[in-house]
Amino acid sequence: DPDMPFVPSIPEDQFILVEEGDPTVIPCRTSDPDAQVTLVNSLDKSVYALYDTKQGFIGNFPAGSYTCKTMVKGMEFKSDEFLIYIIRATSQLPVEIEALKTVYKTGETIVVTCVVFDNEVVNLQWNYPGKVKEKGLIKLDDIKVPSQKLVYTLTIPEASVKDTGDYECTARHATKEVKENKKVVITVHDKGFVHLEPQFSPLEAVNLHEVKNFVVDVQ
């Protein structure tokens, strides 16, 4: 098609996630298999790479913006812009789940943290008793120093007995079919269940060298 030298690309093809050191494909394909295609970066400088008419340019590219060019009957045409993001990712998916405490009273705030190590881009999902009502607030902190970790924090304000149950986070690798899930059990009680009754006065006196016992009944 001389009016459409480059096959239209879908938005998903224009954002390319690549792991450090891995080759990738910039998928600008032409409707004419004999077309001469040039790859340029954001500075409009030519970039050398192998071109496959059925795939596009293949190579190890730095992060940045790339565009393809071709000539048809003396007119220059440009492809859509392709954005390459270099991500840090290991083949494994180390995940830890943390809860400051696992027993709460009604009205308290539940906080559970899921930490993904050495991976910059993952798909993480939470499953918990209040998910259907979207009760949880989720925050992400991307920490890069001293090491890479993604910290996902799930907060449940004004907890009730119905929030008792399994709190599970499932992390999926951005580029590989790898997933990891961790779980912690949280219990919410309607009210406090420990009663303390001291068997001594608020102010007590003791003589020098005297040994005195202070007793507390616990129910």
Side-chain angles (χ1 to χ4, degrees):
D1 182 355
D3 295 323
M4 188 69 71
F6 287 104
V7 178
S9 57
I10 59 175
E12 288 83 355
D13 287 340
Q14 292 175 246
F15 296 91
I16 305 167
L17 292 177
V18 190
E19 291 183 28
E20 282 180 322
D22 283 359
T24 189
V25 175
I26 297 176
C28 54
R29 296 173 294 123
T30 56
S31 56
D32 176 6
D34 297 323
Q36 297 297 310
V37 186
T38 304
L39 179 66
V40 297
N41 59 20
S42 57
L43 301 176
D44 207 33
K45 290 185 177 180
S46 296
V47 177
Y48 174 77
L50 175 67
Y51 186 70
D52 183 315
T53 56
K54 294 182 180 181
Q55 296 186 67
F57 284 98
I58 304 170
N60 291 78
F61 304 104
S65 167
Y66 295 86
T67 308
C68 302
K69 293 181 179 181
T70 190
M71 299 290 291
V72 177
K73 296 179 180 179
M75 289 185 61
E76 183 180 78
F77 288 84
K78 290 184 177 181
S79 71
D80 293 323
E81 182 183 38
F82 297 91
L83 297 171
I84 292 182
Y85 297 91
I86 307 295
I87 61 172
R88 189 180 308 163
T90 58
S91 57
Q92 302 300 314
L93 201 55
V95 178
E96 288 184 5
I97 194 166
E98 301 171 353
L100 293 177
K101 58 181 184 176
T102 55
V103 178
Y104 290 85
K105 287 192 299 182
T106 294
E108 292 186 322
T109 299
I110 298 172
V111 179
V112 182
T113 300
C114 197
V115 184
V116 182
F117 298 90
D118 302 323
N119 286 267
E120 284 188 292
V121 181
V122 297
N123 178 16
L124 187 132
Q125 292 182 324
W126 287 98
N127 280 310
Y128 57 96
K131 185 175 181 178
V132 175
K133 296 183 179 180
E134 297 183 346
K135 191 173 181 181
L137 306 173
I138 299 171
K139 185 182 76 165
L140 168 61
D141 293 308
D142 187 354
I143 299 171
K144 299 186 182 300
V145 178
S147 60
Q148 172 66 43
K149 62 181 179 179
L150 298 172
V151 181
Y152 297 84
T153 304
L154 172 67
T155 304
I156 312 289
E158 296 291 326
S160 70
V161 175
K162 292 181 179 180
D163 292 309
T164 294
D166 294 344
Y167 285 70
E168 185 178 49
C169 65
T170 302
R172 287 180 171 81
H173 204 285
T175 58
K176 295 182 175 66
E177 291 298 321
V178 178
K179 76 173 185 177
E180 185 72 33
N181 67 298
K182 296 289 182 177
K183 181 177 73 173
V184 65
V185 179
I186 300 290
T187 304
V188 182
H189 292 279
D190 186 37
K191 58 185 179 180
F193 54 91
V194 175
H195 178 69
L196 303 178
E197 188 174 342
Q199 301 299 311
F200 49 86
S201 303
L203 179 64
E204 292 278 352
V206 62
N207 294 321
L208 186 63
H209 303 307
E210 180 186 357
V211 175
K212 193 165 187 177
N213 292 324
F214 295 89
V215 178
V216 178
D217 286 340
V218 182
Q219 298 176 0

